[in-house]
Amino acid sequence: VSKNIEQSALSNKRLIKLASIMDTAACQMNEWGASTLSINDIAQSVGLSRNALYYYFKDRMELITSCYERSIQVLTQDLDEAIQFSDVAEERISFLFRRKLLDSHPEQAVLSDLDLVPEPRKSEILAKHQVNIAKLESIIEQGIRTNELRQIDHEITAQLLLGLLNWGQLWKKWNAIDEKVVENTLDILLRGASTNRDFKFNCSLDVTKLLTKPVNLFDSDSLGEAKRLQILGEASLLFNQRGIGSTSVDDIADRLGVTKGSIYHYFDDKQSLVNACYQNAFRQYELLLETVKELDVSGIERIMTSIHLNSQAQVSLTPPLILQAGILNTPGDIPIRANKLADTANSMLIDAVEDGSSRIDGTSSYLTAGFYFWIPKWIEDKPPRRNSQVVDIICQIASGGILQAG
């Protein structure tokens, strides 16, 4: 008996250490990106030698893959608990939202760089992820059938919810997210930001016209800059869809139909290209927000215009680079600029409350970027829709929420 007890104790000790390794790895993947995962750093953090860590995982890729598999498993458990918690769609969605962003459970790796995972495990992870998405869609569909929820697009709504949850997990790396921020963001998803839940928003601005720089075909410098921006746009699209760590310079060159040397003519290496994508993206984000601030419209119209323009940008073929897993592995000025953008968005929300067009205070704006930052991860997998329809649906939800009025 004593031998069995001893074996059980050793097994429990091993499970605790295994969980500690994965907790530490998931945190590092979210902060610095899966492709930069350091076995040495993780071993040191959990009090193991490098060789001892290989007792738990045969190599670095096994650890990365296991972290992604655990993320899927935890979401499955959370969804099942939400379904068991209540028959009411609002309560199920609220349970999931609070569980992921407020409960003190171990950090899970955000699914940004799945293309790093070798087959067949990558396909197995994606298949389980689709099962989770289907569960979330079924919660929303049931709410629509019982008239709890509006006649909304259940697929887009499910992806918006996942986008908000993923973005919330990453934003916490830069700023603490308190209960008020989470509850306000959940309130926007459920009831919308507008005081008038039947508010019909129409955006007359075209993001392409705002962001596209004129090209002088007879000026070599202008042509060179146009080529550089084309590389940045195509690279950002692939980085957004597949993850920065999963995308190589060869992948970008293939998409552009050029040699890798053509890219290296403008950028010294991949990291230089990534940094330039971030700088270009924040130039665009700042331009869009400055444009919105100058509009002579109500506060809620400014907020919706900001979401609409950023969503337009993300459904385009050359979107700005999104903040994703590896959020701390960004150029030094990006966190400062991101916080400044968030503060500006906060002030716009406060203005909207003061003019009576919004009922949500500014603290929720820290997470509202989740409405559009995750679009590139899913839009190409959806049935064909006009991109303008997707953007309009996103703004409809942000403005009026998903619950029935009344």
Side-chain angles (χ1 to χ4, degrees), residues 371-384:
F371 275 105
Y372 48 82
F373 262 174
W374 228 247
I375 292 174
K377 297 290 186 185
W378 57 267
I379 191 168
E380 67 173 356
D381 297 327
K382 295 291 102 182

Side-chain angles (χ1 to χ4, degrees), residues 125-370:
I125 292 172
L126 286 172
K128 292 176 181 177
H129 182 52
Q130 289 303 317
V131 170
N132 282 341
I133 292 173
K135 283 185 180 181
L136 187 51
E137 290 176 353
S138 70
I139 291 174
I140 296 165
E141 285 183 295
Q142 181 178 335
I144 295 171
R145 287 195 300 271
T146 57
N147 207 35
E148 298 171 57
L149 305 183
R150 295 178 182 229
Q151 293 296 317
I152 50 177
D153 187 301
H154 64 279
E155 292 180 334
I156 292 178
T157 303
Q159 294 291 354
L160 283 185
L161 177 53
L162 289 176
L164 287 166
L165 296 177
N166 286 326
W167 174 238
Q169 291 180 75
L170 295 179
W171 182 254
K172 286 192 290 187
K173 299 297 179 180
W174 278 345
N175 283 290
I177 298 177
D178 60 22
E179 183 176 358
K180 185 177 182 182
V181 173
V182 173
E183 293 296 336
N184 280 350
T185 307
L186 175 60
D187 197 24
I188 290 177
L189 177 67
L190 294 174
R191 298 173 182 83
S194 176
T195 50
N196 175 13
R197 296 195 60 200
D198 294 320
F199 171 62
K200 303 298 183 183
F201 173 72
N202 178 48
C203 183
S204 60
L205 298 178
D206 184 340
V207 76
T208 303
K209 293 179 180 178
L210 290 173
L211 298 181
T212 301
K213 291 184 176 182
V215 180
N216 184 349
L217 298 177
F218 300 98
D219 181 83
S220 59
D221 289 340
S222 181
L223 280 173
E225 176 64 6
K227 291 178 181 178
R228 193 185 77 89
L229 290 174
Q230 184 180 2
I231 294 171
L232 293 178
E234 298 290 351
S236 294
L237 176 64
L238 290 181
F239 290 150
N240 288 353
Q241 290 177 340
R242 300 175 54 183
I244 292 172
S246 302
T247 304
S248 68
V249 175
D250 285 317
D251 295 330
I252 298 164
D254 288 344
R255 181 173 179 85
L256 285 162
V258 301
T259 65
K260 191 160 61 172
S262 299
I263 295 176
Y264 287 138
H265 175 75
Y266 294 94
F267 307 97
D268 293 337
D269 51 31
K270 180 183 173 182
Q271 190 58 53
S272 298
L273 173 58
V274 172
N275 290 346
C277 285
Y278 272 123
Q279 297 294 345
N280 185 57
F282 272 79
R283 177 189 64 81
Q284 293 175 319
Y285 295 141
E286 288 159 354
L287 174 61
L288 294 181
L289 199 56
E290 286 300 315
T291 300
V292 170
K293 281 174 58 182
E294 298 301 318
L295 296 177
D296 185 19
V297 295
S298 68
I300 192 64
E301 287 174 296
R302 286 196 190 92
I303 295 166
M304 290 303 111
T305 302
S306 178
I307 293 175
H308 202 283
L309 289 175
N310 278 285
S311 299
Q312 283 185 51
Q314 291 305 329
V315 301
S316 73
L317 294 177
T318 55
L321 182 59
I322 60 173
L323 290 165
Q324 52 192 277
I327 195 167
L328 300 187
N329 195 20
T330 54
D333 66 332
I334 295 302
I336 297 171
R337 294 167 73 178
N339 276 289
K340 186 176 180 180
L341 285 172
D343 288 342
T344 302
N346 282 345
S347 66
M348 290 198 320
L349 270 169
I350 291 170
D351 290 343
V353 172
E354 290 179 352
D355 74 14
S357 60
S358 177
R359 55 186 194 80
I360 304 291
D361 72 30
T363 57
S364 57
S365 70
Y366 290 120
L367 296 186
T368 50

